[in-house]
Amino acid sequence: MSGALVLAVVATGLTLPVSSAAATGSDLYVDGSNASCSDGGSGSAAQPYCTAQAAADAAQAGDTVHVTAGSYGALRLTRSGDDGAPIRFTGQYTGSVRFDSLTVSGVHDVSLDRMFLGAVRIDSSSTVALDFDTLNGGTTPGLVVGAGSSKVTVSRSSVQANGVSAAEVDPGAQGVVITTDMIETNGGTPGVAVHGATGTDVVSDAFMGSAVPVQVDQSASGTVLENDDVEGPITVSADSAATTTSDYNVDYTVGSGPLYSWAGVDYGSLSPFTAASGQGKHDLAGGPVTLVNGPGSSDRLELDSADAAAPGELTTDYFGRPRVDDTLVPNTGTGAGYYDRGATELQDPWQGWTPKAAPAAVAYGSTVSFTTGDANPWHDVVTRTFDFGDGTEPVTTTDTVVRHTYGAVPGGGSKVYTVTVTEVSPATGEAERFTTTEIVSPPGPVSVQSPQFAVQNTSVPLAVTLSSVQYLSPFSLGSCSVDFGDGTTLPGCGNLTHTYAKPGIYQTKVAVTDAAGRSASVGRALSVGPEFVRTTPVTALDTYHGTGGVKGAVAPGRTLRIQVANRYGVPGVPSSVVLNVSAVGAGQAGSVTAYADGSSRPSEPTVLYPARQSSSSLIHVPVGADGYVDLTNLSGQAYVSAEVEGYDTTNPESAHGLEFVGGDYPGDTQHWALVMQRRMGPGATVSFQAAPGYQSYMTPPGQRPLLAVLNVATQITTAFTRVTVQGGAGAGAGADGVYGYPGQMHSTTLLVPVAPDGTVSIHNTAGSTTVSASVEGYYLPASSDEALHALVPVRSTPVFDTRTGLGGRHAQVPYSGTLWIKVAGVGGIPAAATEVAVRLSAVDVRSGGIVDEDHSDGMVLDIANGQPAADLVDLPVVNGYIKVSCFLQSSFDLTASVEGYAVS
């Protein structure tokens, strides 16, 4: 089959390709990888030539040589075509065929396209066309057109060299056209050098990397430089300037260099250059070349401004794309007016995209809107056909939004329909297809569940974020809102952040309405509390040693003031501090209470101490506005000490705040898990796992506890001793302890740092004693998931007192029995509370025993024979009550005050 192409130069410009060649030509084939190839054959498709040179030596006028991808060494053309019947060499696609070099000598009417040609030299030849090729000479010019050559055209090609000119047109050459090419070199050499040639057209090229894009010298005549995109000065010698035309170029400077060097004079701007030479009247100055500014850059000065009638101007760009009119840019060029300068033409940026269905799921009889997602900055009118997938007639329209009503699914049930939109691209004229889906279901119930809240930022302790909501309906979501429980309602169902004014338990509600107008809601309680910041434990008061300014036993009724603001690692005035308060009876039993300075003194004790024995308690004490807390010895006489272990705040200075969560594992509703019980001799140390429920692979380090609240008890003690509790390796600062007395049980609640592996160690100083440790809860990072169930500290709230009848019992507790104490909904404690920190005190005691709790592995209170006892414990709330069981040898009075609450 004949397939040669004719290249024609017409008066109005160059057109590539023009028409089919004469029918006399043949198709020859080259394929060096074909096992049947032979350079001695006919060059048929069945038996191609092995080398391109063999085909070149055999080709006749009108023949087309088809070269299969591969490397073929050097090529030299020695045979010519005829006028209207050239010899054409063509590759499969651009760059697929590689030659080391091409030599064209003494021939005419030949063309090569879609090839890598290496270094090209053309001598004494005419009507030679190179199109869609790569000419790369390395350290030699990519193109040299020598003397005696005419009508040579290089179009839509890449011309490259390194350290030398990319293209040279030598003296004696004429009618050379270099058009719509990418021309690149470096090393200060010209991109195109025209030396003494006649009628050279350098048109619509993009020059990169060369210090001099075009150099015209040696009395070159009739040179045309138009529509070029250049960086660096166009340089024309004095002996060539008179007959050179330069216009419609986009000129970028290199650094502070000139735009033009014309007839020996440099011009840094266009106005003086035009005034002196009469050239460049339609040039545009692009400014200095930068990484983002230069030929082909985003400023696009080239758009719709070229001279369409320039000699050698093509109707397509470097990629073979048509010239198009950018509707957003005024047409300032000649002829059609919208040709772009340089080698490339900005194409219609239209881009089709998958349409959006709204709603994406509907019930029978519902209408869905399909909106195209096309990017269409040129506002093209686009024809689209919508096939809704349900067997109904497709709709063809130019509208961007189409509505469709879906009926019942044949046979019932739900179905996913595939919706296909076919669009005719205004950029390419080709059809493009996009699909989406629509779910159609019978009407059904609507529900909403599992709102997911999270702490937004530990530096804003009262801020929470609703991240997502699970929603179920055959209809799409119509609207959603969140009631945060403090009078604030916000629209939306995700990424909603709200900051509460004060700590507390808030009952939130998420309400949704589906596209059919049906509504559903779900509630969830949130614990929004101050954060606890652990400090290095410091003794602020010790009346035995005189620390804090007071020395000696404290008489009954005496109040001691302790300044905590801006001391002991506590910045400013916090909402409360955590103190470990100890009292040693100095011959008389009694009690101590702690409260905010300036507030009314509570009548309930926080520490009960026996005569000549020690008792201690961990206390969250509100801080007065003046930064002080008060300790009052209600009765008896004792040496009193107080150690500051941290503070509660709603505005921590760092993101290291903690929240207390009851239980021994995430989500635990059981409390007081026994984690250690051991008989210990003098000097013995035992290490144990204090946070077993948090050490699994399912609990990431950022969710693990840093402090444990342990109830530590001693019993069956042979000699007076102090048992100290310390965090394991890598734990934070701080140690605490409990005393052991011969023949007595003794317990207290301690705040103990937990090592990264969850371990804690216990050391016994003297005698032998049985030590047990039970977990009441942990302090976790405030950013952890469990923090939304954290304990909210409150001012001590009495809820039960057998002496006054508070709580419904006005009689002593029998020596053995069970008490249900109402806490939820009492004295400002929320009815939704599921956990409380309660201070239990046993007074008027005439015998020993224990107070226990059904969900515990350890004691709530252990009572020495005839001695009062008190402790702060964390207990679960069941139906609004806490339950305690008493095992004593005689009746006694019991009081209970709530100092914190939580909701799970």
Side-chain angles (χ1 to χ4, degrees), residues 177-205:
V177 178
I178 300 175
T179 179
T180 322
D181 300 307
M182 296 286 186
I183 298 175
E184 184 174 4
T185 187
N186 55 34
T189 55
V192 173
V194 180
H195 302 309
T198 302
T200 304
D201 299 329
V202 181
V203 175
S204 289
D205 298 308

Side-chain angles (χ1 to χ4, degrees), residues 480-508:
C480 183
S481 65
V482 182
D483 180 349
F484 285 91
D486 63 347
T488 301
T489 299
L490 298 177
C493 260
N495 295 321
L496 293 179
T497 298
H498 175 61
T499 301
Y500 288 91
K502 60 182 181 180
I505 301 293
Y506 294 93
Q507 188 64 42
T508 65

Side-chain angles (χ1 to χ4, degrees), residues 331-658:
N331 294 337
T332 58
T334 67
Y338 55 77
Y339 281 25
D340 293 348
R341 306 186 192 193
T344 59
E345 181 82 11
L346 180 66
Q347 300 296 295
D348 189 334
W350 179 91
Q351 184 176 10
W353 205 253
T354 302
K356 180 180 180 181
V362 295
Y364 298 168
S366 299
T367 298
V368 181
S369 294
F370 295 97
T371 303
T372 59
D374 301 346
N376 189 12
W378 287 7
H379 308 293
D380 298 309
V381 177
V382 182
T383 300
R384 306 174 179 90
T385 298
F386 289 79
D387 184 338
F388 302 104
D390 58 352
T392 59
E393 189 70 21
V395 173
T396 299
T397 180
T398 58
D399 294 338
T400 57
V401 179
V402 173
R403 294 172 178 83
H404 181 69
T405 300
Y406 284 92
V409 174
S414 299
K415 186 171 182 178
V416 178
Y417 290 108
T418 298
V419 181
T420 303
V421 180
T422 303
E423 301 181 310
V424 178
S425 167
T428 64
E430 298 177 354
E432 299 188 14
R433 290 176 175 80
F434 304 94
T435 61
T436 187
T437 59
E438 183 66 29
I439 303 173
V440 180
S441 306
V446 58
S447 65
V448 59
Q449 54 190 309
S450 303
Q452 300 296 314
F453 287 91
V455 176
Q456 179 204 19
N457 189 329
T458 56
S459 64
V460 187
L462 302 184
V464 297
T465 297
L466 173 69
S467 55
S468 65
V469 172
Q470 291 185 4
Y471 160 79
L472 178 64
S473 171
F475 298 90
S476 294
L477 181 64
S479 64
C480 183
S481 65
V482 182
D483 180 349
F484 285 91
D486 63 347
T488 301
T489 299
L490 298 177
C493 260
N495 295 321
L496 293 179
T497 298
H498 175 61
T499 301
Y500 288 91
K502 60 182 181 180
I505 301 293
Y506 294 93
Q507 188 64 42
T508 65
K509 184 174 75 171
V510 178
V512 301
T513 301
D514 66 16
R518 302 177 304 169
S519 299
S521 63
V522 64
R524 176 178 172 180
L526 291 184
S527 172
V528 183
E531 294 180 11
F532 173 71
V533 179
R534 172 70 163 173
T535 59
T536 301
V538 178
T539 299
L541 175 72
D542 185 344
T543 66
Y544 185 83
H545 294 95
T547 304
V550 178
K551 187 171 184 179
V554 181
R558 185 176 180 183
T559 297
L560 306 176
R561 299 175 71 237
I562 303 174
Q563 181 182 348
V564 293
N566 296 310
R567 292 189 176 184
Y568 317 117
V570 179
V573 181
S575 57
S576 61
V577 291
V578 174
L579 302 179
N580 193 322
V581 178
S582 298
V584 180
Q588 300 177 24
S591 61
V592 175
T593 190
Y595 53 99
D597 187 58
S599 65
S600 59
R601 186 181 70 191
S603 59
E604 299 304 316
T606 50
V607 179
L608 289 168
Y609 57 86
R612 297 184 178 85
Q613 293 185 19
S614 171
S615 183
S616 62
S617 187
L618 197 66
I619 311 169
H620 280 262
V621 186
V623 179
D626 58 358
Y628 283 80
V629 297
D630 293 348
L631 298 179
T632 297
N633 188 27
L634 296 175
S635 61
Q637 192 168 0
Y639 295 97
V640 179
S641 66
E643 187 178 67
V644 179
E645 300 204 6
Y647 61 94
D648 295 311
T649 179
T650 58
N651 188 27
E653 295 182 352
S654 64
H656 301 299
L658 306 174

Side-chain angles (χ1 to χ4, degrees), residues 1-319:
M1 176 183 293
S2 64
L5 299 178
V6 175
L7 217 59
V9 179
V10 296
T12 58
L14 187 68
T15 304
L16 296 171
V18 175
S19 64
S20 295
T24 58
S26 300
D27 290 300
L28 304 179
Y29 296 88
V30 177
D31 185 356
S33 63
N34 191 318
S36 300
C37 73
S38 172
D39 284 347
S42 62
S44 65
Q47 188 182 43
Y49 292 115
C50 296
T51 65
Q53 189 62 57
D57 293 341
Q60 301 293 321
D63 287 351
T64 297
V65 180
H66 304 273
V67 187
T68 301
S71 296
Y72 292 93
L75 177 64
R76 183 180 185 88
L77 301 187
T78 59
R79 300 180 71 87
S80 299
D82 289 332
D83 184 17
I87 298 174
R88 179 193 177 199
F89 293 79
T90 182
Q92 289 178 303
Y93 49 87
T94 301
S96 63
V97 175
R98 298 183 66 88
F99 293 103
D100 295 336
S101 63
L102 170 66
T103 302
V104 182
S105 180
V107 300
H108 59 85
D109 294 287
V110 295
S111 71
L112 298 93
D113 59 85
R114 293 172 174 80
M115 296 180 175
F116 183 97
L117 299 176
V120 176
R121 180 163 188 102
I122 303 172
D123 289 305
S124 302
S125 299
S126 64
T127 318
V128 178
L130 307 180
D131 191 28
F132 288 119
D133 293 317
T134 298
L135 291 68
N136 189 334
T139 57
T140 61
L143 171 68
V144 176
V145 181
S149 296
S150 62
K151 298 181 182 179
V152 175
T153 300
V154 180
S155 57
R156 294 177 294 201
S157 295
S158 174
V159 186
Q160 306 168 21
N162 185 7
V164 296
S165 298
E168 292 184 1
V169 184
D170 290 342
Q174 57 181 326
V176 176
V177 178
I178 300 175
T179 179
T180 322
D181 300 307
M182 296 286 186
I183 298 175
E184 184 174 4
T185 187
N186 55 34
T189 55
V192 173
V194 180
H195 302 309
T198 302
T200 304
D201 299 329
V202 181
V203 175
S204 289
D205 298 308
F207 291 84
M208 292 162 287
S210 54
V212 178
V214 182
Q215 179 175 308
V216 182
D217 57 18
Q218 299 181 31
S219 300
S221 63
T223 306
V224 175
L225 312 175
E226 281 203 30
N227 297 337
D228 293 317
D229 211 351
V230 302
E231 57 180 62
I234 293 176
T235 301
V236 180
S237 64
D239 58 14
S240 304
T243 62
T244 299
T245 300
S246 183
D247 204 2
Y248 290 94
N249 300 305
V250 179
D251 309 309
Y252 295 90
T253 60
V254 177
S256 58
L259 286 174
Y260 274 90
S261 181
W262 194 272
V265 179
D266 291 344
Y267 298 92
S269 59
L270 287 174
S271 295
F273 167 67
T274 301
S277 66
Q279 304 291 331
K281 295 178 181 179
H282 302 93
D283 276 14
L284 297 172
V289 171
T290 66
L291 291 176
V292 295
N293 183 46
S297 62
S298 59
D299 58 16
R300 304 300 289 171
L301 295 173
E302 305 91 340
L303 297 181
D304 293 7
S305 61
D307 178 11
E313 182 71 16
L314 302 183
T315 58
T316 59
D317 73 351
Y318 174 81
F319 299 103

Side-chain angles (χ1 to χ4, degrees), residues 618 620 660 662 671-672 709 776 779 791-797 799 823 829 833-840 871-877 882 896-902:
L618 197 66
H620 280 262
F660 177 78
H671 288 59
W672 286 57
V709 179
E776 293 188 34
Y779 279 94
L791 192 83
V792 178
V794 295
R795 177 183 173 85
S796 183
T797 303
V799 293
V823 291
I829 306 303
T834 57
E835 175 186 338
V836 290
V838 59
R839 189 171 300 280
L840 296 175
D871 206 356
L872 178 67
V873 293
D874 186 69
L875 298 178
V877 177
I882 59 173
S897 297
V898 175
E899 297 187 8
Y901 60 87

